[in-house]
Amino acid sequence: MPMNSQRKLSVEQAARLIYRGSAPSEAQIERVRTAIERGDLVGEAGATTVGAVAEFLARAAVTNRRAGASRSPGAATPPRSAAGYYGKQEELPSVYLDSLRNYFLSAISRKHLKQQSAAFQRGVLIGQIAFLVFAVAMLGYATRMIAPPRPPEQAAVLTWLEENTAHHRIIQWHPPHPTADGTGVRMRVQYHYATNRGKGIDTDRLFLIQQDRVVSVESDW
């Protein structure tokens, strides 16, 4: 949607449009403020409008053309006085001035839409990243909810491994078998672990588990 010509602009915003820069200097901002105070640029209380800036740029372009100035109309410097800069309004060809005014309004609108488009694209990207993070978190939560619970014998062995090894990886679980006295189970587990010195070892051990705790481990059986 094109910008409304009556849309309010601060002095700094007007300086950005007049001097075609995202960060106008203090001197440029002050020249625009002075132009507003003198009436060269229509505005009040340190503010102006999009339409007034377009009008200012159009008149500056006409004056620069007449004077044969080499600088760009978009880099117009606020005049010392309205009369000295513009001349009499009736001397300006109205059709030419209107065309320039519409041109600058269109240019300002295109710049505004481009900025909006860039902001929208950034917003979409941020939204996509947030959705992806949320989806991954939900997937992990759903996986934990759907996955069958680990048998208590395996949970006991994993707890023992975490307490007694720096790093481990299960190679194979074997079925548990009840002990002769019925007080627990024995389970053979093949796994890989790393020593404190970082050496990797593959081993095959028999765990005695009672009341969901490992009470003994046999390596030679």
Side-chain angles (χ1 to χ4, degrees):
M1 178 181 294
M3 293 181 68
N4 189 334
S5 63
Q6 297 304 313
R7 179 181 174 181
K8 292 288 186 180
L9 296 175
S10 67
V11 173
E12 182 176 352
Q13 289 173 325
R16 290 176 186 172
L17 296 175
I18 292 172
Y19 293 101
R20 295 185 180 181
S22 59
S25 66
E26 289 296 329
Q28 291 171 334
I29 294 174
E30 186 58 33
R31 284 197 290 270
V32 173
R33 184 179 288 110
T34 300
I36 293 175
E37 292 173 353
R38 291 180 177 177
D40 299 329
L41 173 59
V42 177
E44 58 183 11
T48 183
T49 65
V50 171
V53 170
E55 175 82 15
F56 176 84
L57 292 173
R59 290 182 176 276
V62 171
T63 303
N64 286 341
R65 181 187 178 101
R66 286 180 172 179
S70 60
R71 66 179 180 273
S72 167
T77 301
R80 295 183 179 179
S81 67
Y85 193 79
Y86 299 138
K88 296 181 179 179
Q89 182 170 350
E90 58 268 23
E91 294 178 358
L92 297 176
S94 60
V95 175
Y96 181 45
L97 184 61
D98 287 343
S99 297
L100 283 173
R101 185 189 303 112
N102 291 334
Y103 165 78
F104 285 114
L105 274 174
S106 177
I108 294 171
S109 294
R110 286 197 301 271
K111 181 177 181 180
H112 176 67
L113 289 174
K114 183 178 180 180
Q115 292 172 342
Q116 282 189 326
S117 177
F120 176 76
Q121 290 175 0
R122 287 194 298 270
V124 169
L125 179 59
I126 292 172
Q128 289 175 337
I129 294 174
F131 176 78
L132 180 60
V133 171
F134 175 76
V136 170
M138 290 302 296
L139 179 60
Y141 175 77
T143 300
R144 291 193 298 270
M145 294 295 293
I146 295 173
R150 186 178 295 279
E153 298 86 1
Q154 294 184 8
V157 171
L158 289 175
T159 299
W160 185 91
L161 290 173
E162 290 172 358
E163 294 173 351
N164 293 275
T165 63
H167 172 75
H168 61 270
R169 174 175 53 84
I170 301 298
I171 298 174
Q172 185 176 355
W173 297 103
H174 292 269
H177 299 283
T179 58
D181 58 7
T183 59
V185 297
R186 293 182 184 276
M187 186 168 64
R188 178 187 171 196
V189 181
Q190 295 172 266
Y191 63 94
H192 173 90
Y193 72 98
T195 65
N196 292 333
R197 295 183 178 180
K199 181 180 179 180
I201 298 176
D202 290 341
T203 187
D204 187 346
R205 297 187 179 185
L206 188 64
F207 289 82
L208 174 59
I209 303 159
Q210 293 178 342
Q211 297 180 351
D212 299 336
R213 291 180 61 252
V214 173
V215 295
S216 68
V217 180
E218 299 177 26
S219 57
D220 297 322
W221 53 277

